[in-house]
């Protein structure tokens, strides 16, 4: 049944640091690489080498410009994938029971053999976290790399989602957000982690850490600037006479 | 939202078909024999045709039967269950007037209620979605129900009822357009809340995640035809309500009645196209497309 669990034992999720993300898209590529050849149907591309390529991705990086009332604008890279919401609308709308939220760790998954590809779960998701794969006709979404995080065949360091393992900037963190003592929960508390579209009532598990304020340029561009100021703005004496004489020539 | 022909055909035709079944279930018109057969055939053709059209947009239509299982949480599942129940009950009920010249009142009432319930569950598939503020209002079920009943009255040849119900549906349609036009702005969701960055300044989409298109943009960020929306609303309103009302007020003739039905259907199709094409899914905010 597509009832949501009353509560989950753990709330596994991601914490994404908008301060350190450099917008390199490495998480996008590693996500596609891992998930196209492991859990579930591959992530297909349509017309990949043609004029109008498109394809299924579980993670995409947007870039936004924030213009404060005063001061310089700030560019913020913004990776977005499934937020594994506690009150996930995509699960309850599913007519076949293919979508479900796991009681043990809160991960939202799709049972692809039950999915009819009606697309209603993608309609209900305000974040655009689900994409219908055009080749397979089933809904694809972030699994938090459920086939990595519990995988005893992998070295322990690799038992995190592919995007987290890959991020060269350390902008992605993985852990149990239901445990206030976990490293990710502490990070969220310390940095004021936020929800996306809290007004939608989805209660996302994934949190975003806001960018820190950048260094400000107040009045001086360079401490050497005063020493480099022009010595004589208006020429005087002989130079002034020369200037005028040359002007008249 | 992408106005997929399959969902437009589905909601329009099944709305009309179940609307007609409501009236047949109530015994209006009280017909029997071949006339009853033709009425039921039209109603079933529309209702079943619409339901079949809805399966065309599925990735795996062969698994559609699984959609009957999640009626506890899913409006789409409830719709499937209600539709099948309505068609079964009305099929049983139809045996009476068509073959036996009898009318089993209670069964008819039950079938009528289930038919109306099907239209309601269809409308709730859309009205439940908070991600599409324009649809997320109690007026959406009222709109679907009033259009279905008006169409049903028109198809069943109940002129005085159709005049009243068409006028009511016209008013609901106007109210729906008027009220839902500011729905996205009133929802409080904007790029600021979508990114959580709104408290820091004005947020602008600077770079999309990729240069090409994707499923989300194709499905949810339909902007073609928005500029003609007001003209299309006039056309939809004229065809769905004004023309049929005028034709019904003329002295009765079968040609006028047929024209009224065709005009109404064309108008509802136009209105339903706008229902999808004008609906703004909040995911468009992330792409700076709102």
């Amino acid at each position: 049944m597509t009832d949501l669990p009353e509560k989950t034992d753990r709330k596994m999720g991601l914490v994404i640091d908008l301060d350190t993300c450099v917008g390199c898209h490495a998480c996008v590529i590693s996500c596609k690489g891992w998930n196209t050849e492991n859990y579930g149907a591959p992530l297909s591309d349509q017309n990949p080498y043609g004029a109008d390529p498109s394809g299924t991705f579980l993670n995409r990086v947007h870039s936004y410009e924030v213009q404060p009332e005063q001061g310089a604008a700030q560019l913020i890279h913004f990776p977005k994938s499934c937020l594994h919401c506690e009150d996930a609308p995509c699960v309850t709308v599913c007519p076949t029971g293919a979508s479900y939220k796991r009681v043990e760790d809160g991960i939202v998954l799709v049972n692809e053999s039950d999915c009819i590809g009606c697309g209603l779960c993608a309609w209900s998701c305000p974040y655009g976290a689900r994409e219908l794969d055009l080749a397979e006709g089933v809904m694809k979404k972030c699994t938090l790399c459920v086939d990595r995080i519990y995988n005893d065949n992998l070295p322990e360091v690799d038992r995190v989602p592919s995007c987290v393992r890959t991020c060269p900037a350390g902008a992605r963190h993985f852990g149990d957000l239901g445990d206030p003592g976990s490293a990710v929960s502490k990070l969220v508390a310390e940095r004021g982690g936020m929800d996306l579209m809290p007004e939608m009532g989805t209660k996302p598990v994934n949190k975003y850490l806001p960018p820190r304020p950048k260094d400000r340029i107040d009045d001086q561009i360079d401490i050497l600037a005063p020493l480099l100021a022009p010595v004589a703005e208006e020429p005087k004496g002989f130079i002034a006479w020369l200037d005028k004489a040359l002007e008249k020539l | 939202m992408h106005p997929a022909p399959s969902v437009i055909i589905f909601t329009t035709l099944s709305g009309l078909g179940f609307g007609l079944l409501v009236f047949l279930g109530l015994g209006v018109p009280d017909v029997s024999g071949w006339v009853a057969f033709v009425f039921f055939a039209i109603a079933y053709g529309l209702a079943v045709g619409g339901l079949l059209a809805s399966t065309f947009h599925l990735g795996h239509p062969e698994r559609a039967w699984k959609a009957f299982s999640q009626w506890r949480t899913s409006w789409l599942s409830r719709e499937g269950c209600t539709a099948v129940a309505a068609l079964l009950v009305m099929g049983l009920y139809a045996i009476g007037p068509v073959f036996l010249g009898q009318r089993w009142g209670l069964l008819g009432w039950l079938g009528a209620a289930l038919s109306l319930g099907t239209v309601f569950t269809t409308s709730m598939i859309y009205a439940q979605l908070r991600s599409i503020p324009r649809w997320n209002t109690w007026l959406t079920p009222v709109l679907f129900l009033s259009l279905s009943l008006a169409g049903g009255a028109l198809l069943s040849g109940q002129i005085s009822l159709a005049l009243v119900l068409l006028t009511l549906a016209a008013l609901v349609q106007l109210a729906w357009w008027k009220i839902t036009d500011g729905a996205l702005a009133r929802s409080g969701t904007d790029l600021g809340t979508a990114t959580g960055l709104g408290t820091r300044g004005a947020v602008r989409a600077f770079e999309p995640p990729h240069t090409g298109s994707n499923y989300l943009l194709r499905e949810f960020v339909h902007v073609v035809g928005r500029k003609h929306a007001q003209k299309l609303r006039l056309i939809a309103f004229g065809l769905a309500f004004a023309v049929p009302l005028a034709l019904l007020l003329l002295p009765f003739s079968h040609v006028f009645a047929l024209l009224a039905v065709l005009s109404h259907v064309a108008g509802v199709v136009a209105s339903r196209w706008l229902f999808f094409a004008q609906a703004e899914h909040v995911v468009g905010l992330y792409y700076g497309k709102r």
Side-chain angles (χ1 to χ4, degrees), chain A residues 93 120 123-124, chain B residues 1 4 6-12 14 54 57 75-76 79 119-137 140-141 144 176 272 275-276 279:
Chain A
V93 299
L120 191 57
W123 289 26
S124 74
Chain B
M1 299 294 291
S6 62
V7 279
I8 293 172
I9 293 170
F10 153 56
T11 56
T12 307
S14 70
S54 76
H57 81 284
W75 280 106
L76 180 50
E79 189 226 21
V119 179
F120 174 70
T121 48
T122 304
S123 68
M124 283 307 292
I125 296 171
Y126 306 107
Q128 69 174 330
L129 299 171
R130 295 183 79 173
S131 51
I132 304 165
R134 189 185 282 275
W135 293 350
N136 189 219
T137 160
T140 300
F144 275 60
W176 192 87
R272 220 29 76 71
F275 179 82
F276 289 98

Side-chain angles (χ1 to χ4, degrees), chain B residues 174-185:
Chain B
L174 286 178
W176 192 87
W177 279 333
K178 174 91 183 122
I179 289 170
T180 61
D181 267 350
L184 179 63

Side-chain angles (χ1 to χ4, degrees), chain A residues 1-3 60-65 67 92-93 97 112-116 123 125 136 197 199-200 211, chain B residues 59-60 63 66 70 72-74 130-131 189 193 200 202 204 206-207 209-210 213 216 218-219 281 286:
Chain A
M1 281 304 220
T2 46
D3 290 327
R60 295 181 189 263
V61 181
H62 298 250
S63 296
Y64 297 104
E65 180 196 70
Q67 175 65 63
T92 51
V93 299
E112 289 174 6
S113 59
D114 278 350
C115 177
I116 56 174
W123 289 26
C125 173
E136 289 289 331
M197 292 189 198
E199 70 279 6
M200 285 281 161
Chain B
H60 282 277
R63 298 177 191 156
K66 293 189 177 187
Q70 304 302 309
R72 272 170 53 189
T73 66
S74 167
R130 295 183 79 173
S131 51
T189 298
T193 68
R200 315 169 69 83
R204 182 170 77 92
F206 185 77
E207 269 182 323
H210 37 72
S213 188
L216 301 171
R218 287 189 296 265
E219 185 79 0
H281 194 292
Y286 286 107

Side-chain angles (χ1 to χ4, degrees), chain B residues 74-92:
Chain B
S74 167
W75 280 106
L76 180 50
S77 182
R78 286 171 198 163
E79 189 226 21
C81 297
T82 321
V84 169
L87 291 174
L88 286 177
V89 169
M90 286 305 288
L92 211 59

